[in-house]
């Protein structure tokens, strides 16, 4: 059992890929809707399947970012942003659909493959 809830657990969505070093889930935010606050602890790539306008806020409601994401946008969220806690609110009249690809590095073993 993980020490912290995973983002897809906090979002109450299923993993579509569940491999040791890659976790993938789909996030859908209906027009005017919000998703629960969640915390990213590993680098991730966001792929926008269906764009919309929205806001990203901290769990206490502080505005972190506001604007539009377009269908086809791809964003890398690196380790310099971690941990990152937020929730999304869709301020448009379109459903926002994003795929999150979380990248996990293997634990160092101290051995070198030769």
């Amino acid at each position: 059992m993980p020490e912290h809830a995973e983002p897809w657990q906090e979002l109450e969505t299923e993993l579509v890929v569940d491999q040791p070093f890659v976790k993938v889930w789909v996030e859908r935010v209906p027009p005017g809707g919000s998703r629960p606050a969640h915390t990213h602890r590993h680098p991730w790539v966001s792929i926008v399947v269906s764009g919309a306008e929205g806001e990203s806020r901290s769990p206490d409601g502080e505005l972190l970012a506001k604007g539009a994401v377009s269908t086809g946008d791809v964003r890398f969220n690196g380790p310099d942003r971690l941990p990152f806690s937020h929730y999304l609110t869709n301020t448009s009249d379109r459903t926002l659909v994003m795929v999150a690809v979380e990248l996990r590095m293997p634990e160092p073993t101290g051995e070198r493959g030769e």
Side-chain angles (χ1 to χ4, degrees), residues 7-18 23-30 35-36 38 40 44-50 88 95-102:
W8 59 89
Q9 294 168 328
E10 294 173 310
L11 290 165
E12 299 179 350
T13 191
E14 292 183 35
L15 289 175
V16 294
V17 174
D18 185 3
K23 310 293 184 190
V24 179
W25 63 93
V26 178
E27 188 170 357
R28 291 177 178 81
V29 188
R35 299 297 292 136
H38 56 282
H40 297 274
W44 80 102
V45 176
S46 297
I47 304 162
V48 180
V49 177
S50 179
L88 297 174
T95 298
L96 174 62
V97 181
M98 295 184 299
V99 174
V101 180
E102 185 181 87

Side-chain angles (χ1 to χ4, degrees), residues 54-58 60-66:
E55 299 175 343
S56 176
R57 293 186 177 267
S58 69
D60 65 2
E62 176 188 353
L63 182 64
L64 301 172
K66 179 178 182 176

Side-chain angles (χ1 to χ4, degrees), residues 80-100:
D80 57 313
R81 298 188 70 194
L82 302 174
F84 183 70
S85 298
H86 72 131
Y87 69 90
L88 297 174
T89 300
N90 183 343
T91 59
S92 75
D93 60 356
R94 297 179 312 274
T95 298
L96 174 62
V97 181
M98 295 184 299
V99 174

